[in-house]
Every structure is written in structure tokens, then in C-alpha cells.
Amino acid sequence: MRRRRPVRIAPSILSADFGHLARDVAAVEEAGADWIHVDVMDGHFVPNLTIGPGVTAAVRSATSLPVDVHLMIEQPQRWIEAFADAGADWITVHHEACPHLHRVVEQIRDAGARPGVAVNPATPVEVLRDILPDIDLVLVMSVNPGFGGQRFIEGAPDRVRRVRELASRVRSTPLPALQVDGGVAAGSAPAVVAAGADCLVAGSAVYGHPGGAAGGMAALREAVESVPEPGEVRA
Ligand code: DX5
Ligand code: ZN
């Protein structure tokens, strides 16, 4: 049966070769990636430092795909315009980093990008209830953010299911994109898609695949192509 919501794959450039970033972005675009996921870490919200608006702008120049920026930073409100100006199409902030989340979501929209909200594995997904009508994407973390190559946390599919149910109750269609990030690979992807995820972020499973980025993309696509969409949830 044809899915109403196709599964999008967003390779994370965190696992790319930063010395050949444009080449590695082009490789996943050629292999059928839907978005390019950019992991921004500040050494405070998470114990790692990665990239900023400058490298994001370089990614923007290297692809025609939507650029999906995941801000794992404290006080993200200080950086929204810089990432939007760098070419981010989607900007996701963490619930845990935003005491004034609604204001930050509006700021993202005003900056011309589409807003997403991420929740860490230990954050009850129910905190999303009142922000769900205002956002275009929910990101359910399936690892504790900070590093690529970590093990998928098995409770993630159930959390995805609960977000989908909550979203169905608190807003009319269209539902927000439901993204999962961390340890997503051919083995873990079917369960999150069956639970309702329609956007998979994958770093090491794409760039670290023995068949290269094209092999990693193909393995992920094959793993999820026949997974049915969950049935409509009634309010
Ligand atoms: C986690 C990041 C992810 C992650 C993905 O802190 O937000 O995007 O690096 O990498 P893999 O797929 O290797 O877990
Ligand atoms: Zn990410």
C-alpha cells in the first residue's frame, strides 16, 4: 500500500569527512537523500563542539536539498537568525534548552525557517502537548545527544507512537514531521517507522557503511520501504 507520508532520510554530516564536506554532501544527494541534517553542538548543552553558521552556509552552497539544522545548544534564541541567514530551511531547538519555547518557535518562523522541537530520551513526550499546534517537526532523540555512532535506545519507538497519538489529538492534519535521530540504522529503522516516524536522521549508518554513502542510503531505504504507516489515531 502506498504511504500517505513518505519516509524521508536525512543523513547527518556529523559522520562525513569534514575535509571533503561538499563531496560528501553531494554523495548523499546523488544517493537519494531528502534533507541534509546539520548537528550543531556548543560544548554546554551537550559535551561536544561541532559547527556553526559558516559551515552551515557551506553545506547550503553544496546542495539543493533542504538543510535541516539541529541546534543542541543553550540559549538557541541567540543564533536563530544566523542559521536562517546561512540557509537553514528547518531549525530544531531542544525543549530542554528553552524556557520560552513558544517565543523561540515564533522567532524561527519570523526568520523564514520551519520550526522543530526536539526531546531528549528522558524528557516525557507529553511536554510537547501545548507547542504541537505551532510547530512543523518533532524530533524524538533515540540517543543522548552529543556524539554520532551511539547505540539506539530501545524505548524510542514507543515514544514516537505517543507523540503521534498526542499530535493526532491536539491538532488537525497535517501532522508535524516526526523525526528520529540517533543510532538509526537498517536494524532499528523499521520499528520507528512502524510507530509513525516519517523522517530518519542517520550519520554513521550512512557515512560509515561498508558500501559507502550510497550503500548506506540504499540499506536504509530497503529496510523501511515495506513498513506500513500506522493507522489513523482517533481523538
Ligand atoms: C546526536 C546527533 C545525531 C547523530 C546521528 O547527538 O544529533 O544527529 O550524530 O549520528 P548516528 O546516526 O551515528 O547516531
Ligand atoms: Zn541531530
Side-chain angles (χ1 to χ4, degrees):
M1 191 172 49
R2 201 177 147 77
R3 297 177 59 96
R4 280 181 303 113
R5 287 155 63 96
V7 178
R8 285 170 287 202
I9 299 179
S12 165
I13 59 155
L14 192 56
S15 299
D17 177 350
F18 282 8
H20 298 93
L21 191 52
R23 179 200 69 187
D24 281 5
V25 168
V28 292
E29 182 164 3
E30 276 162 32
D34 296 287
W35 296 354
I36 302 296
H37 186 82
V38 176
D39 283 311
V40 177
M41 306 187 186
D42 66 351
H44 294 276
F45 182 69
V46 291
N48 196 4
L49 271 174
T50 55
I51 66 179
V55 174
T56 303
V59 171
R60 169 74 290 158
S61 309
T63 182
S64 58
L65 295 176
V67 173
D68 168 34
V69 171
H70 177 191
L71 295 181
M72 288 160 277
I73 64 176
E74 289 179 357
Q75 303 194 44
Q77 69 277 4
R78 296 169 60 197
W79 293 98
I80 301 301
E81 287 75 18
F83 282 98
D85 291 349
D89 298 280
W90 295 80
I91 298 179
T92 295
V93 294
H94 270 259
H95 175 272
E96 300 84 359
C98 298
H100 304 292
L101 182 59
H102 186 272
R103 179 183 288 154
V104 181
V105 164
E106 287 191 321
Q107 188 187 351
I108 294 170
R109 250 191 233 289
D110 289 348
R114 298 186 69 181
V117 173
V119 281
N120 282 337
T123 300
V125 299
E126 288 71 23
V127 298
L128 296 168
R129 178 187 296 273
D130 291 345
I131 199 69
L132 270 167
D134 301 307
I135 59 179
D136 293 343
L137 179 149
V138 173
L139 168 48
V140 174
M141 289 304 304
S142 40
V143 297
N144 291 292
F147 304 95
Q150 301 183 82
R151 192 165 47 84
F152 180 82
I153 295 174
E154 296 302 330
D158 187 55
R159 289 165 58 73
V160 169
R161 190 171 297 113
R162 281 158 50 211
V163 171
R164 189 185 156 93
E165 286 174 11
L166 192 60
S168 306
R169 278 193 215 104
V170 302
R171 63 184 263 172
S172 49
T173 51
L175 294 174
L178 225 172
Q179 187 176 62
V180 178
D181 183 5
V184 174
S188 50
V192 289
V193 170
D198 63 358
C199 183
L200 303 176
V201 175
S204 46
V206 171
Y207 286 109
H209 193 274
M217 285 293 304
L220 273 175
R221 281 260 179 250
E222 195 189 329
V224 298
E225 71 187 355
S226 58
V227 177
E229 213 161 348
E232 275 305 293
V233 179
R234 299 260 160 246

